[in-house]
Amino acid sequence: MAVRASDVSRFPGRRARRRKQPPDTPEGRPMVSWYDPGVLVKSGLKTLLSGTFGRQADRRLLDAVARPQPLAFDYAEDEEGRPREELWLDYVADLGDGWNSTYAVASSVMAPELDLEDPTGQVHRTRGGDVLVFGGDEVYPTASVEEYQARTVAPYAAALNRRRHRPHLFAVAGNHDWYDGLVSFTRLFCQGRYSPGWRTKQQRSYFALKLPHGWWLLGTDMQLESDLDAPQVEFFQQVAARMRGTDRVILCNAEPAWIHQQVKPRAGRGFLDHNIDFLEQKVLGKKVSVFLAGDLHHYRRHENGEGRQKIVAGGGGAFLHPTHLPKVDRRPDGFVLKECYPPRETSRRLTWRNLLFTAINPWFSVFMGGVYTLLGWGVAARLSEGAEGAPPFREVLNAALQSTGSMVLGAATVLGTVVFADSRRGKRWRQVSGAVHGGVHLLLALLLTWGVSAIAAPLASELQWSLRRDLFSGLLLFGGGALVGPFVMGLYLLLSLNVFSCHPNEAFSSLSIPDWKNFLRLHFDAEGRLTVYPVGFRRVPRRWMRGRPAEDPEWVPDPADTRATPPRLIEPPIVIGRTKALPVTPDTGPPDAATRI
């Protein structure tokens, strides 16, 4: 029986029962709060350590020796050795964040059948994939056994819940998977382990799948350095030797290099930024028909005149990324933007939520309250001693300049904002924007200190002793800084992204938006055609309840959550015919009708 998309998001009340104790909420993790100081410190340390040790001890080299792996996992034939007429495959990238978003995607991926309506109103019946590919960054904020279990394994196990057979899982390693040196990733995905949600088969962090009718899917591991190691190059060369001239390739990378090359400053590019060209020209010897990538948490599809596809589908559960950066709409080599999700205007409008930075990121507000308190507390205490009225602003400025502690912390604040500033517009832009951002914080800290001094000075005699007066001043500074500091940060991120096209990651990670999720469902049919179904979730459910039957419960959306929307197709299915792929030659001209995809 098919499961309609509307049923996945809104089950009728008669098919579900409510529990009174405990609350009708699964024991899942919330979205990662990226501006929580604890998360920032932990992620920063993990990044530093993984980058340092990753350069010195590349785990891929050890696995290539210790973990032999078949050149290709064969899905062109069934378990009895007969050629497959068709195959369904699901692609999910950037998952393992909050329960609501990750489980909403997982419940649709694990449904036996799913009816999906496209923008034209046509309904397409799809089947759950026999193969499931995780396209990179399988957990957030950093990799560990505990985080994988809570944020990735648990939602998918709960979503499958014996509704159908367990799919074979293959995982691409992303940068977040590398933050513990790929140790937890290897334990979970590369040791043949079974879980209630899937079966793993790969032994390394890269793999090749032989699919029906001459299709191949290759999963790479670029590590943190965006580099292909020598054993991996040799592995894919051997795989390419098994391909026929008419075979077609789907290449899965953790990151969309075709987009990063456009937004990355030219001075910072090197030969490692051309791994895709190297794979096509030197390793595979043919053009890739379909590129799939995550890392950017939205849907974006580019297509060229030959019909080749470059698709970003990083909507498996992590926070949303913007789609309104102008530089990624067109490519010099002819790839043109065909669709993005959410739409550009929606993305631009969502950026305005940064004006609510204080409410969305409460722990960062606490941190900024502490910074403002340290900047102005000593100055306010000095001005309040013996004062009979509000001091002039010049006196506040002089007191700040004479305070060694305030000067050191002020310099550290400006240095921190310069380091934080985006470098994609060049070094000078980073220095100027960072200095302006830091200068605004210092100016507001001075104004806040002036105001606190004006309030505390008249009350000095009433508060009777200086310690009580200083504590009162400190509380005022802390409360003012907790409100003003995050607002300045949110305003800075809003202007940076919507006006100067900078800080896309920082401006949206601050919002932790669980909606606008997506995954891809691929169908290889009996005619050898590949049909790509891009599935989107406008708004994921926030409330859940146990469904029936009672002996086999399943988390289903609470009907009271009326704002949740069912999964639908982002655009009509993309159909890629079974034709010969173009060889890689310097003088390849425009394809004729027989060679078009």
Side-chain angles (χ1 to χ4, degrees), residues 246-309:
T246 56
D247 287 355
R248 312 291 291 280
V249 176
I250 303 170
L251 182 63
C252 296
N253 289 321
E255 298 180 353
W258 59 93
I259 290 179
H260 290 329
Q261 288 173 5
Q262 296 178 76
V263 299
K264 188 176 181 180
R266 292 187 178 275
R269 298 182 189 176
F271 69 94
L272 294 181
D273 291 309
H274 302 283
N275 279 311
I276 288 180
D277 297 335
F278 175 75
L279 274 171
E280 284 188 314
Q281 299 173 10
K282 302 298 183 181
V283 179
L284 300 177
K286 62 171 63 182
K287 291 184 177 180
V288 175
S289 299
V290 181
F291 296 86
L292 300 181
D295 191 60
L296 299 179
H297 309 162
H298 54 233
Y299 174 82
R300 186 185 296 271
R301 180 174 69 89
H302 288 80
E303 180 180 333
N304 72 352
E306 301 167 1
R308 300 167 67 208
Q309 306 292 328

Side-chain angles (χ1 to χ4, degrees), residues 68-251:
Q69 174 172 279
L71 279 180
F73 296 95
D74 194 347
Y75 291 93
E77 298 179 348
D78 60 21
E79 295 179 355
E80 298 180 1
R82 296 173 300 188
R84 290 179 185 263
E85 290 296 318
E86 64 173 351
L87 178 73
W88 291 86
L89 182 149
D90 290 321
Y91 175 89
V92 186
D94 297 278
L95 58 152
D97 197 334
W99 168 275
N100 291 337
S101 54
T102 300
Y103 182 77
V105 174
S107 61
S108 292
V109 169
M110 293 301 184
E113 292 183 330
L114 196 62
D115 291 342
L116 298 164
E117 183 180 348
D118 68 22
T120 67
Q122 183 176 355
V123 177
H124 304 264
R125 173 157 295 183
T126 66
R127 268 186 20 211
D130 300 305
V131 178
L132 173 60
V133 175
F134 284 166
D137 288 342
E138 278 75 60
V139 72
Y140 289 86
T142 56
S144 70
V145 173
E146 294 77 13
E147 294 291 354
Y148 273 120
Q149 176 61 37
R151 296 184 181 273
T152 307
V153 177
Y156 274 82
L160 181 61
N161 198 26
R162 299 190 291 277
R163 289 196 287 172
R164 65 177 177 92
H165 67 279
R166 284 180 293 187
H168 289 182
L169 172 67
F170 295 87
V172 175
N175 61 302
H176 287 268
D177 301 299
W178 266 98
Y179 283 164
D180 71 340
L182 216 64
V183 173
S184 301
F185 178 95
T186 301
R187 290 179 181 176
L188 181 58
F189 301 116
C190 302
Q191 294 184 351
R193 294 179 183 267
Y194 283 55
S195 91
W198 56 63
R199 293 188 292 170
T200 61
K201 298 175 73 68
Q202 71 191 89
Q203 296 295 313
R204 301 182 191 173
S205 55
Y206 48 90
F207 55 86
L209 307 183
K210 185 178 181 182
L211 305 176
H213 308 297
W215 285 95
W216 294 76
L217 187 146
L218 309 182
T220 66
D221 179 7
M222 300 293 186
Q223 206 230 25
L224 293 170
E225 293 289 302
S226 297
D227 183 27
L228 283 170
D229 59 304
Q232 190 173 178
V233 170
E234 182 180 353
F235 174 84
F236 286 121
Q237 286 175 334
Q238 295 177 20
V239 171
R242 292 192 175 189
M243 296 180 183
R244 299 170 300 178
T246 56
D247 287 355
R248 312 291 291 280
V249 176
I250 303 170
L251 182 63

Side-chain angles (χ1 to χ4, degrees), residues 319-333:
F319 67 89
L320 180 68
H321 268 137
T323 57
H324 62 285
L325 292 179
K327 290 186 177 181
V328 297
D329 291 350
R330 288 183 175 271
R331 288 280 293 145
D333 52 1

